[in-house]
Amino acid sequence: MIDHFGVNVADMAASVRFYDTVLGTLGFTRQMDFGEAIGYGTPGHPDFWVSSAASGTSNRESHIAFSASDRDAVQAFFDAASQLGAEVLHAPREWPEYHPGYYGAFVRDPDGNNVEAVCHG
């Protein structure tokens, strides 16, 4: 059901130092590193992400990605969310910067969280 999950952190350097260390004891390592966002997991599977929070008093939204069986399911998720009036963050498309075949759509839920449906095919 859950493809990957992300949290936002106030001190990226401290959090990366923490997660590099504690997740390493469990056999998890950095799988992707975009500087402001780092994905941890097992080889080829960045399942847990930490991202730099926005400056000031606000914080970036939480991010959760749900597994979709295929591109049609990603489209159905996107269509249903759009019909409910969800703010569209990214319409369904391939995201080659993540990996070839990564196909996802991103919307905001009623509380402003970044919710995604994704398939890897």
Side-chain angles (χ1 to χ4, degrees), residues 4-51:
H4 60 275
F5 181 75
V7 297
N8 301 298
V9 298
D11 184 337
M12 189 68 167
S15 293
V16 167
R17 191 169 43 257
F18 175 81
Y19 284 113
D20 279 353
T21 302
V22 301
L23 293 180
T25 68
L26 301 173
F28 303 115
T29 59
R30 289 188 197 191
Q31 296 301 306
M32 297 183 89
D33 187 339
F34 293 102
E36 66 181 27
I38 296 174
Y40 292 92
T42 56
H45 300 281
D47 300 318
F48 174 71
W49 288 80
V50 294
S51 299

Side-chain angles (χ1 to χ4, degrees), residues 61-87:
E61 72 278 356
S62 292
H63 174 68
I64 188 163
F66 293 100
S67 295
S69 57
D70 55 29
R71 290 177 179 222
D72 288 339
V74 171
Q75 186 67 51
F77 162 89
F78 179 78
D79 291 344
S82 296
Q83 289 171 3
L84 289 171
E87 177 186 349

